[in-house]
Amino acid sequence: ARLFACADVLGVSEGIETGIAAHELFHVPVWAGITAIGIESFVPPAGIRRLIVFADNDSNFQGQKSAYALAHRLSVASDRTIEKIEVEVPPGADTDWLDVLLEDCA
């Protein structure tokens, strides 16, 4: 789901609400992959130079696995055009970036 228009920087999150929260916290445009598999298979649009993957911090490590799988796939791609790939994981177990935003607002 394309939540915000992007230029050369783009974030990708699992859920829509998480994407909106990451946008508020990190001030970058974010698109949602909708599911963990959606993150793993995400294909960034042409022209992206920096990609930030906003992982969920799942106790079963699914969110982290999917985020790092995407980062790895894109970092070793033979046609790599993205200069910087980052993975951001919330500090608390079983949280996502919406939880972090709501905690900051409390």
Side-chain angles (χ1 to χ4, degrees):
R2 297 177 182 191
L3 304 177
F4 302 95
C6 65
D8 61 344
V9 176
L10 179 63
V12 62
S13 67
E14 189 171 321
I16 292 172
E17 296 87 355
T18 302
I20 294 169
H23 170 75
E24 290 293 317
L25 291 164
F26 290 85
H27 309 289
V28 297
V30 181
W31 292 3
I34 307 301
T35 66
I37 299 304
I39 292 262
E40 286 187 47
S41 61
F42 180 75
V43 177
I48 298 299
R49 298 172 62 100
R50 177 178 173 220
L51 181 72
I52 307 167
V53 187
F54 294 106
D56 288 0
N57 189 346
D58 299 327
S59 59
N60 68 1
F61 300 100
Q62 182 61 55
Q64 302 92 313
K65 173 194 165 289
S66 295
Y68 283 107
L70 171 61
H72 174 74
R73 178 174 55 83
L74 294 177
S75 71
V76 300
S78 60
D79 61 343
R80 180 177 173 175
T81 57
I82 301 174
E83 295 172 7
K84 186 171 186 179
I85 302 168
E86 305 165 62
V87 176
E88 296 287 345
V89 182
D94 286 321
T95 62
D96 60 27
W97 291 106
L98 178 58
D99 296 316
V100 173
L101 179 64
L102 293 175
E103 184 178 298
D104 286 353
C105 292

XYZ file of all heavy atoms in Angstrom:
800
model
N 0.845 -1.175 0.000
C 0.000 0.000 0.000
C 0.889 1.236 0.000
O 1.712 1.396 0.888
C -0.905 0.004 1.224
N 0.724 2.064 -0.980
C 1.529 3.288 -1.110
C 0.913 4.361 -0.228
O -0.050 5.023 -0.624
C 1.582 3.720 -2.556
C 2.262 2.687 -3.426
C 2.243 3.084 -4.873
N 2.866 2.014 -5.662
C 3.184 2.140 -6.924
N 2.942 3.264 -7.567
N 3.751 1.140 -7.559
N 1.472 4.555 0.950
C 0.899 5.471 1.926
C 1.296 6.920 1.673
O 0.517 7.829 1.952
C 1.325 5.059 3.337
C 0.980 3.624 3.729
C 1.514 3.310 5.113
C -0.523 3.401 3.662
N 2.504 7.157 1.180
C 3.012 8.512 0.959
C 3.809 8.534 -0.340
O 4.438 7.542 -0.703
C 3.921 8.941 2.121
C 3.250 8.916 3.458
C 3.356 7.801 4.291
C 2.491 9.991 3.890
C 2.729 7.766 5.533
C 1.852 9.962 5.130
C 1.974 8.847 5.948
N 3.816 9.677 -1.001
C 4.647 9.847 -2.186
C 6.116 9.815 -1.760
O 6.467 10.252 -0.662
C 4.322 11.175 -2.859
N 6.961 9.266 -2.626
C 8.376 9.170 -2.269
C 9.241 9.740 -3.377
O 8.786 9.884 -4.518
C 8.767 7.729 -1.977
S 8.659 6.640 -3.398
N 10.477 10.036 -3.029
C 11.460 10.519 -4.008
C 12.642 9.563 -3.989
O 12.555 8.478 -4.546
C 11.872 11.947 -3.678
N 13.700 9.919 -3.275
C 14.869 9.038 -3.247
C 14.995 8.264 -1.942
O 15.850 7.406 -1.811
C 16.151 9.822 -3.532
C 16.427 10.914 -2.522
O 15.511 11.286 -1.770
O 17.566 11.401 -2.481
N 14.129 8.543 -0.969
C 14.116 7.832 0.305
C 12.743 7.203 0.481
O 11.726 7.839 0.231
C 14.406 8.776 1.495
C 14.301 8.029 2.815
C 15.762 9.443 1.355
N 12.732 5.950 0.936
C 11.468 5.256 1.177
C 11.622 4.298 2.333
O 12.649 3.632 2.473
C 11.038 4.468 -0.074
C 9.733 3.669 0.027
C 8.541 4.598 0.268
C 9.521 2.822 -1.210
N 10.601 4.246 3.175
C 10.517 3.239 4.218
C 9.478 2.213 3.827
O 8.540 2.520 3.081
N 9.644 0.992 4.320
C 8.650 -0.046 4.100
C 8.365 -0.704 5.442
O 9.280 -0.953 6.229
C 9.097 -1.072 3.025
C 10.346 -1.810 3.433
C 7.981 -2.048 2.696
N 7.087 -0.919 5.720
C 6.663 -1.538 6.975
C 5.758 -2.714 6.662
O 5.329 -2.897 5.525
C 5.900 -0.523 7.831
O 4.672 -0.185 7.207
N 5.443 -3.461 7.708
C 4.528 -4.582 7.510
C 3.091 -4.084 7.386
O 2.441 -4.291 6.382
C 4.661 -5.576 8.663
C 3.927 -6.862 8.444
C 4.236 -7.910 9.488
O 5.399 -8.015 9.906
O 3.295 -8.616 9.882
N 2.599 -3.400 8.391
C 1.208 -2.969 8.398
C 1.030 -1.503 8.050
O 1.969 -0.707 8.128
N -0.183 -1.146 7.697
C -0.496 0.232 7.346
C -0.336 1.151 8.555
O 0.302 2.207 8.463
C -1.921 0.319 6.753
C -1.950 -0.378 5.387
C -2.384 1.775 6.640
C -3.333 -0.531 4.787
N -0.892 0.760 9.694
C -0.785 1.594 10.891
C 0.669 1.744 11.319
O 1.095 2.820 11.738
C -1.607 0.998 12.045
C -3.094 0.967 11.784
C -3.547 -0.290 11.050
O -2.697 -1.117 10.637
O -4.766 -0.453 10.871
N 1.444 0.667 11.201
C 2.869 0.722 11.531
C 3.590 1.676 10.587
O 4.470 2.429 10.998
C 3.498 -0.690 11.448
O 2.798 -1.545 12.349
C 4.965 -0.663 11.817
N 3.210 1.655 9.319
C 3.814 2.556 8.344
C 3.532 4.014 8.639
O 4.414 4.872 8.534
N 2.302 4.318 9.012
C 1.951 5.694 9.358
C 2.726 6.128 10.602
O 3.244 7.246 10.666
C 0.427 5.841 9.534
C -0.267 5.610 8.186
C 0.069 7.199 10.121
C -1.776 5.470 8.276
N 2.835 5.237 11.579
C 3.592 5.554 12.793
C 5.072 5.770 12.482
O 5.693 6.713 12.986
C 3.426 4.431 13.825
N 5.659 4.929 11.640
C 7.062 5.089 11.261
C 7.270 6.414 10.539
O 8.273 7.104 10.754
C 7.516 3.915 10.402
N 6.314 6.788 9.709
C 6.381 8.084 9.025
C 6.418 9.220 10.050
O 7.211 10.157 9.930
C 5.183 8.231 8.088
C 5.023 9.592 7.515
N 5.837 10.078 6.511
C 4.138 10.580 7.808
C 5.454 11.312 6.206
N 4.431 11.633 6.984
N 5.560 9.148 11.048
C 5.516 10.177 12.089
C 6.816 10.214 12.903
O 7.297 11.287 13.250
C 4.331 9.940 13.029
C 2.988 10.196 12.396
C 2.776 11.662 12.056
O 3.107 12.541 12.875
O 2.288 11.932 10.937
N 7.375 9.052 13.196
C 8.574 8.973 14.043
C 9.863 9.306 13.293
O 10.770 9.916 13.848
C 8.692 7.566 14.648
C 7.647 7.210 15.695
C 7.618 5.700 15.926
C 7.932 7.949 16.997
N 9.963 8.893 12.045
C 11.216 9.012 11.295
C 11.167 10.069 10.188
O 12.191 10.348 9.573
C 11.594 7.652 10.698
C 12.011 6.648 11.720
C 11.079 5.885 12.396
C 13.356 6.450 12.012
C 11.461 4.950 13.346
C 13.755 5.523 12.953
C 12.807 4.762 13.629
N 9.982 10.623 9.927
C 9.820 11.710 8.947
C 10.282 11.320 7.545
O 10.958 12.089 6.858
C 10.528 12.977 9.424
C 10.159 13.359 10.815
N 8.925 13.864 11.137
C 10.850 13.264 11.977
C 8.871 14.088 12.443
N 10.023 13.723 12.978
N 9.927 10.105 7.149
C 10.211 9.625 5.793
C 8.924 9.029 5.221
O 8.059 8.560 5.971
C 11.345 8.558 5.753
C 12.657 9.152 6.231
C 10.977 7.322 6.546
N 8.763 9.032 3.911
C 7.605 8.377 3.314
C 7.702 6.867 3.510
O 8.798 6.305 3.454
C 7.686 8.749 1.833
C 9.101 9.126 1.596
C 9.646 9.623 2.896
N 6.585 6.224 3.776
C 6.568 4.781 4.042
C 5.453 4.132 3.233
O 4.368 4.693 3.084
C 6.342 4.498 5.551
C 6.337 2.997 5.826
C 7.403 5.187 6.406
N 5.757 2.964 2.698
C 4.766 2.101 2.063
C 4.623 0.857 2.922
O 5.569 0.434 3.600
C 5.199 1.710 0.659
C 5.223 2.832 -0.334
C 4.950 4.151 -0.104
C 5.547 2.722 -1.713
N 5.088 4.866 -1.262
C 5.460 4.019 -2.271
C 5.909 1.661 -2.539
C 5.709 4.274 -3.608
C 6.162 1.923 -3.867
C 6.056 3.214 -4.399
N 3.468 0.227 2.907
C 3.213 -0.972 3.694
C 3.216 -2.215 2.815
O 2.592 -2.223 1.751
C 1.873 -0.865 4.423
N 3.902 -3.247 3.283
C 3.914 -4.532 2.583
C 2.718 -5.395 2.933
O 2.515 -6.452 2.342
N 1.938 -4.990 3.921
C 0.714 -5.619 4.404
C 0.975 -6.880 5.239
O 0.335 -7.080 6.256
C -0.290 -5.928 3.271
C -0.567 -4.671 2.452
C -1.570 -6.521 3.794
C -1.143 -3.480 3.215
N 1.910 -7.718 4.847
C 2.242 -8.928 5.608
C 3.757 -9.069 5.684
O 4.499 -8.383 4.973
C 1.688 -10.193 4.923
O 2.372 -10.358 3.664
C 0.189 -10.117 4.708
N 4.219 -9.991 6.510
C 5.658 -10.269 6.591
C 6.179 -10.760 5.242
O 7.262 -10.356 4.793
C 5.939 -11.296 7.687
N 5.418 -11.588 4.567
C 5.822 -12.067 3.239
C 5.832 -10.908 2.243
O 6.673 -10.854 1.346
C 4.890 -13.206 2.770
C 4.963 -14.391 3.740
C 5.233 -13.648 1.354
C 6.354 -14.954 3.969
N 4.915 -9.968 2.410
C 4.900 -8.782 1.571
C 6.169 -7.955 1.720
O 6.657 -7.369 0.755
N 6.702 -7.925 2.933
C 7.990 -7.231 3.162
C 9.100 -7.974 2.424
O 9.908 -7.373 1.726
C 8.313 -7.180 4.666
C 7.338 -6.279 5.387
C 9.746 -6.750 4.908
C 7.781 -4.895 5.661
N 9.167 -9.285 2.608
C 10.242 -10.076 1.992
C 10.252 -9.945 0.474
O 11.312 -9.928 -0.140
C 10.112 -11.557 2.373
C 10.515 -11.846 3.790
C 10.553 -13.323 4.093
O 11.120 -14.097 3.284
O 10.009 -13.715 5.141
N 9.096 -9.848 -0.128
C 9.016 -9.816 -1.587
C 8.922 -8.395 -2.151
O 8.774 -8.225 -3.361
C 7.819 -10.644 -2.058
O 6.621 -10.102 -1.537
N 9.033 -7.394 -1.307
C 8.882 -6.000 -1.723
C 9.909 -5.631 -2.802
O 11.086 -5.962 -2.701
C 9.069 -5.074 -0.515
C 8.922 -3.618 -0.846
C 7.677 -3.069 -1.084
C 10.037 -2.806 -0.908
C 7.543 -1.724 -1.388
C 9.915 -1.453 -1.203
C 8.660 -0.913 -1.439
N 9.420 -4.938 -3.835
C 10.281 -4.437 -4.908
C 10.194 -2.914 -4.875
O 9.134 -2.351 -5.185
C 9.842 -4.972 -6.285
C 10.702 -4.383 -7.382
C 9.884 -6.492 -6.300
N 11.270 -2.253 -4.481
C 11.210 -0.797 -4.407
C 11.109 -0.162 -5.794
O 11.595 -0.732 -6.774
C 12.523 -0.408 -3.731
C 13.386 -1.599 -3.758
C 12.540 -2.790 -4.048
N 10.482 0.994 -5.860
C 10.370 1.663 -7.154
C 11.727 2.191 -7.617
O 12.638 2.386 -6.807
C 9.394 2.811 -6.865
C 9.556 3.081 -5.411
C 9.850 1.752 -4.786
N 11.841 2.425 -8.893
C 13.079 2.979 -9.449
C 13.350 4.348 -8.834
O 12.419 5.092 -8.516
C 12.951 3.096 -10.962
N 14.618 4.646 -8.656
C 15.010 5.950 -8.151
C 15.249 6.021 -6.658
O 15.738 7.028 -6.157
N 14.916 4.961 -5.938
C 15.152 4.951 -4.488
C 16.654 4.780 -4.242
O 17.277 3.862 -4.762
C 14.361 3.815 -3.801
C 12.865 4.017 -3.993
C 14.710 3.714 -2.321
C 12.323 5.311 -3.413
N 17.211 5.668 -3.430
C 18.640 5.600 -3.103
C 18.862 5.139 -1.663
O 19.936 4.665 -1.329
C 19.289 6.947 -3.339
C 19.192 7.372 -4.809
C 19.653 8.783 -5.029
N 21.030 8.962 -4.682
C 22.032 8.997 -5.561
N 21.768 8.855 -6.833
N 23.261 9.182 -5.159
N 17.834 5.300 -0.820
C 17.919 4.882 0.579
C 16.603 4.211 0.936
O 15.536 4.777 0.725
C 18.164 6.092 1.476
C 18.196 5.771 2.946
C 18.502 7.019 3.769
N 18.365 6.745 5.181
C 17.814 7.589 6.048
N 17.384 8.779 5.659
N 17.721 7.253 7.317
N 16.709 2.998 1.485
C 15.532 2.244 1.906
C 15.656 1.930 3.384
O 16.697 1.440 3.836
C 15.396 0.940 1.114
C 14.166 0.099 1.470
C 12.894 0.763 0.951
C 14.289 -1.312 0.928
N 14.595 2.221 4.130
C 14.545 1.893 5.552
C 13.442 0.863 5.744
O 12.285 1.110 5.394
C 14.255 3.127 6.415
C 15.232 4.254 6.094
C 14.312 2.765 7.897
C 14.835 5.598 6.666
N 13.799 -0.289 6.282
C 12.834 -1.355 6.531
C 12.440 -1.274 8.003
O 13.287 -1.448 8.881
C 13.424 -2.740 6.195
C 12.338 -3.804 6.312
C 14.043 -2.750 4.808
N 11.175 -0.993 8.272
C 10.671 -0.868 9.630
C 10.098 -2.216 10.064
O 8.958 -2.563 9.736
C 9.628 0.245 9.716
C 10.215 1.601 9.449
C 9.981 2.255 8.252
C 11.021 2.215 10.390
C 10.524 3.505 7.996
C 11.579 3.467 10.148
C 11.332 4.108 8.948
N 10.895 -2.979 10.777
C 10.522 -4.328 11.195
C 9.606 -4.302 12.411
O 9.692 -3.395 13.248
C 11.781 -5.131 11.536
N 8.764 -5.313 12.523
C 8.067 -5.588 13.776
C 9.030 -6.383 14.647
O 9.817 -7.185 14.147
C 6.812 -6.428 13.531
C 5.691 -5.654 12.854
O 5.873 -4.452 12.563
O 4.631 -6.267 12.618
N 8.984 -6.164 15.958
C 9.839 -6.907 16.888
C 9.015 -8.058 17.465
O 8.471 -7.970 18.560
C 10.360 -5.982 17.993
C 11.407 -6.651 18.842
O 11.579 -7.860 18.807
N 12.111 -5.859 19.627
N 8.897 -9.132 16.702
C 8.080 -10.289 17.085
C 8.873 -11.266 17.937
O 10.042 -11.532 17.657
C 7.594 -11.019 15.827
C 6.719 -10.150 14.940
O 5.989 -9.292 15.484
O 6.768 -10.322 13.711
N 8.204 -11.845 18.950
C 8.881 -12.831 19.796
C 9.236 -14.099 19.021
O 10.159 -14.815 19.391
C 8.034 -13.184 21.023
O 6.785 -13.716 20.626
N 8.545 -14.361 17.918
C 8.890 -15.520 17.084
C 9.870 -15.135 15.962
O 10.201 -15.957 15.118
C 7.635 -16.178 16.500
C 6.933 -15.303 15.474
O 7.365 -14.200 15.151
N 5.821 -15.805 14.960
N 10.298 -13.883 15.953
C 11.300 -13.341 15.028
C 10.831 -13.256 13.580
O 11.638 -12.984 12.699
C 12.623 -14.117 15.133
C 13.222 -14.055 16.498
C 13.071 -15.118 17.380
C 13.908 -12.926 16.917
C 13.609 -15.063 18.659
C 14.448 -12.862 18.193
C 14.290 -13.930 19.071
N 9.550 -13.416 13.297
C 9.070 -13.334 11.918
C 9.273 -11.938 11.328
O 9.723 -11.799 10.199
C 7.598 -13.731 11.817
C 7.063 -13.706 10.389
C 7.789 -14.666 9.456
O 7.861 -15.851 9.741
N 8.323 -14.163 8.360
N 8.919 -10.909 12.077
C 9.075 -9.548 11.575
C 10.522 -9.204 11.273
O 10.836 -8.629 10.229
N 11.413 -9.582 12.189
C 12.831 -9.316 11.996
C 13.379 -10.125 10.823
O 14.137 -9.620 10.002
C 13.634 -9.647 13.259
C 13.196 -8.898 14.503
C 12.162 -9.652 15.322
O 11.170 -10.175 14.810
N 12.371 -9.704 16.632
N 12.965 -11.393 10.728
C 13.429 -12.264 9.639
C 13.047 -11.676 8.291
O 13.874 -11.592 7.375
C 12.837 -13.662 9.783
C 13.135 -14.591 8.602
C 12.226 -15.825 8.653
C 12.193 -16.582 7.367
N 11.480 -15.923 6.277
N 11.804 -11.264 8.169
C 11.330 -10.713 6.896
C 12.067 -9.425 6.542
O 12.449 -9.218 5.384
C 9.827 -10.465 6.963
O 9.151 -11.698 7.096
N 12.278 -8.572 7.527
C 12.976 -7.306 7.279
C 14.415 -7.553 6.828
O 14.876 -6.957 5.844
C 12.960 -6.449 8.540
N 15.105 -8.432 7.516
C 16.498 -8.699 7.150
C 16.603 -9.503 5.850
O 17.564 -9.349 5.105
C 17.241 -9.383 8.292
C 17.611 -8.395 9.377
C 16.950 -8.390 10.594
C 18.603 -7.435 9.164
C 17.271 -7.470 11.580
C 18.924 -6.510 10.144
C 18.258 -6.532 11.349
O 18.584 -5.607 12.315
N 15.603 -10.318 5.565
C 15.599 -11.038 4.286
C 15.498 -10.052 3.126
O 16.213 -10.181 2.122
C 14.451 -12.052 4.240
N 14.642 -9.052 3.257
C 14.532 -8.023 2.225
C 15.834 -7.247 2.110
O 16.355 -7.062 1.004
C 13.380 -7.059 2.531
C 13.302 -5.825 1.628
C 13.090 -6.215 0.170
C 12.225 -4.871 2.123
N 16.374 -6.808 3.232
C 17.620 -6.042 3.211
C 18.745 -6.848 2.572
O 19.505 -6.331 1.743
C 18.001 -5.617 4.628
N 18.828 -8.117 2.903
C 19.868 -8.976 2.329
C 19.669 -9.136 0.825
O 20.616 -8.977 0.044
C 19.874 -10.341 3.019
C 20.809 -11.302 2.375
N 22.172 -11.213 2.503
C 20.577 -12.356 1.559
C 22.738 -12.173 1.803
N 21.785 -12.880 1.223
N 18.450 -9.447 0.416
C 18.177 -9.655 -1.009
C 18.547 -8.426 -1.827
O 19.200 -8.522 -2.866
C 16.699 -10.006 -1.214
C 16.319 -10.196 -2.691
C 14.889 -10.688 -2.869
N 13.875 -9.883 -2.254
C 13.335 -8.777 -2.790
N 13.766 -8.336 -3.957
N 12.376 -8.133 -2.159
N 18.162 -7.263 -1.340
C 18.451 -6.045 -2.091
C 19.938 -5.674 -2.043
O 20.467 -5.120 -2.999
C 17.602 -4.889 -1.562
C 16.088 -5.032 -1.775
C 15.362 -3.857 -1.140
C 15.741 -5.173 -3.245
N 20.604 -5.999 -0.946
C 22.023 -5.620 -0.819
C 22.935 -6.458 -1.702
O 24.025 -6.011 -2.059
C 22.480 -5.695 0.633
O 22.563 -7.038 1.060
N 22.523 -7.663 -2.058
C 23.372 -8.524 -2.902
C 22.882 -8.595 -4.349
O 23.465 -9.315 -5.156
C 23.497 -9.960 -2.315
C 24.120 -9.919 -0.934
C 22.156 -10.673 -2.291
N 21.843 -7.830 -4.672
C 21.300 -7.849 -6.031
C 22.341 -7.346 -7.027
O 23.036 -6.361 -6.772
C 20.045 -6.986 -6.105
N 22.447 -8.025 -8.140
C 23.437 -7.651 -9.150
C 23.121 -6.300 -9.786
O 24.017 -5.596 -10.239
C 23.524 -8.726 -10.231
O 22.272 -8.875 -10.866
N 21.855 -5.918 -9.785
C 21.462 -4.638 -10.363
C 21.183 -3.596 -9.276
O 20.383 -2.694 -9.448
C 20.232 -4.812 -11.243
C 19.028 -5.329 -10.459
O 19.224 -5.854 -9.336
O 17.903 -5.213 -10.961
N 21.900 -3.709 -8.175
C 21.664 -2.862 -7.012
C 21.799 -1.377 -7.363
O 22.817 -0.940 -7.885
C 22.645 -3.219 -5.900
C 22.453 -2.381 -4.674
C 23.366 -2.772 -3.568
N 23.235 -1.809 -2.484
C 23.839 -1.925 -1.337
N 24.627 -2.949 -1.113
N 23.680 -1.023 -0.407
N 20.770 -0.635 -7.068
C 20.787 0.806 -7.284
C 20.590 1.571 -5.971
O 20.787 2.774 -5.931
C 19.684 1.230 -8.267
O 18.419 0.803 -7.759
C 19.923 0.616 -9.646
N 20.204 0.873 -4.925
C 19.982 1.512 -3.628
C 21.328 1.626 -2.917
O 22.018 0.625 -2.711
C 18.980 0.712 -2.782
C 17.646 0.602 -3.521
C 18.781 1.372 -1.423
C 16.632 -0.292 -2.856
N 21.686 2.841 -2.538
C 22.986 3.085 -1.920
C 23.022 2.694 -0.453
O 24.056 2.260 0.053
C 23.363 4.562 -2.066
C 23.564 4.977 -3.511
C 23.753 6.473 -3.660
O 23.858 7.190 -2.641
O 23.790 6.923 -4.817
N 21.910 2.878 0.258
C 21.890 2.610 1.694
C 20.609 1.879 2.054
O 19.515 2.326 1.708
C 21.991 3.918 2.476
C 22.122 3.729 3.959
C 22.445 5.036 4.653
C 22.716 4.763 6.124
N 23.062 5.983 6.842
N 20.766 0.747 2.743
C 19.631 -0.046 3.211
C 19.774 -0.190 4.721
O 20.820 -0.605 5.216
C 19.599 -1.440 2.546
C 19.529 -1.294 1.024
C 18.427 -2.253 3.083
C 19.789 -2.577 0.274
N 18.724 0.156 5.449
C 18.736 0.090 6.905
C 17.541 -0.727 7.392
O 16.504 -0.743 6.743
C 18.625 1.489 7.507
C 19.677 2.461 7.030
C 19.306 3.891 7.366
O 19.175 4.210 8.561
O 19.130 4.673 6.418
N 17.714 -1.377 8.532
C 16.608 -2.054 9.195
C 16.462 -1.440 10.581
O 17.435 -1.364 11.331
C 16.847 -3.577 9.311
C 15.721 -4.233 10.107
C 16.967 -4.210 7.939
N 15.268 -0.973 10.885
C 14.962 -0.398 12.194
C 13.986 -1.326 12.909
O 12.945 -1.669 12.361
C 14.343 0.992 12.052
C 15.256 2.027 11.447
C 16.360 2.491 12.387
O 16.273 2.243 13.605
O 17.316 3.121 11.899
N 14.370 -1.740 14.127
C 13.550 -2.645 14.936
C 13.206 -1.930 16.243
O 14.110 -1.407 16.902
C 14.304 -3.963 15.243
C 13.431 -4.915 16.047
C 14.792 -4.619 13.958
N 11.948 -1.902 16.650
C 11.599 -1.268 17.917
C 12.303 -1.976 19.082
O 12.553 -3.187 19.013
C 10.092 -1.426 18.040
C 9.614 -2.025 16.782
C 10.785 -2.482 15.993
N 12.600 -1.247 20.144
C 13.376 -1.841 21.236
C 12.642 -2.887 22.074
O 13.258 -3.813 22.590
C 13.762 -0.640 22.097
C 12.758 0.415 21.765
C 12.349 0.167 20.346
N 11.338 -2.779 22.203
C 10.602 -3.702 23.061
C 10.145 -4.955 22.339
O 9.783 -4.914 21.160
N 10.160 -6.073 23.060
C 9.693 -7.342 22.493
C 8.197 -7.264 22.212
O 7.439 -6.626 22.952
C 9.979 -8.486 23.456
N 7.795 -7.894 21.109
C 6.399 -7.943 20.689
C 5.800 -6.551 20.515
O 4.662 -6.283 20.926
C 5.558 -8.779 21.652
C 5.830 -10.257 21.490
O 5.992 -10.706 20.345
O 5.890 -10.965 22.521
N 6.572 -5.673 19.874
C 6.085 -4.332 19.571
C 6.334 -4.012 18.102
O 7.121 -4.677 17.429
C 6.780 -3.251 20.426
O 8.183 -3.248 20.146
C 6.549 -3.480 21.912
N 5.639 -2.988 17.641
C 5.906 -2.431 16.323
C 6.031 -0.921 16.498
O 5.973 -0.403 17.620
C 4.837 -2.842 15.303
C 3.438 -2.387 15.670
O 3.285 -1.357 16.391
O 2.477 -3.029 15.236
N 6.195 -0.198 15.388
C 6.428 1.241 15.498
C 5.187 2.003 15.947
O 5.312 3.097 16.507
C 7.014 1.775 14.192
C 8.411 1.246 14.047
C 8.844 0.263 13.210
C 9.539 1.629 14.829
N 10.187 0.017 13.429
C 10.642 0.840 14.414
C 9.747 2.556 15.844
C 11.904 0.957 14.967
C 11.007 2.681 16.408
C 12.066 1.897 15.968
N 3.994 1.450 15.780
C 2.802 2.088 16.325
C 2.850 2.054 17.848
O 2.523 3.034 18.499
C 1.533 1.423 15.803
C 0.219 1.997 16.353
C 0.101 3.484 16.055
C -0.968 1.229 15.800
N 3.277 0.939 18.422
C 3.416 0.855 19.879
C 4.382 1.920 20.394
O 4.144 2.550 21.417
C 3.912 -0.530 20.292
C 2.933 -1.638 19.948
O 1.720 -1.459 20.184
O 3.375 -2.676 19.434
N 5.479 2.120 19.671
C 6.482 3.121 20.066
C 5.876 4.523 20.002
O 6.040 5.331 20.922
C 7.742 3.031 19.181
C 8.700 4.173 19.463
C 8.428 1.681 19.377
N 5.157 4.815 18.915
C 4.524 6.134 18.778
C 3.513 6.373 19.894
O 3.500 7.440 20.504
C 3.843 6.259 17.412
C 3.126 7.585 17.145
C 4.118 8.743 17.121
C 2.346 7.509 15.842
N 2.682 5.380 20.169
C 1.673 5.530 21.221
C 2.318 5.706 22.589
O 1.833 6.479 23.418
C 0.717 4.346 21.223
C -0.180 4.232 19.981
C -0.999 2.952 20.026
C -1.067 5.455 19.848
N 3.422 5.020 22.827
C 4.145 5.163 24.100
C 4.720 6.571 24.213
O 4.682 7.178 25.278
C 5.260 4.127 24.191
C 5.991 4.140 25.517
C 7.047 3.055 25.566
O 6.679 1.869 25.466
O 8.234 3.400 25.710
N 5.251 7.091 23.107
C 5.807 8.451 23.109
C 4.732 9.488 23.362
O 5.001 10.554 23.919
C 6.493 8.758 21.770
C 7.822 8.041 21.610
O 8.299 7.406 22.571
O 8.385 8.123 20.506
N 3.492 9.208 22.944
C 2.386 10.157 23.106
C 1.767 10.102 24.500
O 1.022 11.005 24.881
C 1.299 9.887 22.069
S 1.820 10.253 20.390
N 2.033 9.039 25.235
C 1.403 8.852 26.559
C 2.003 9.762 27.603
O 3.037 10.292 27.522
C 1.530 7.399 26.992
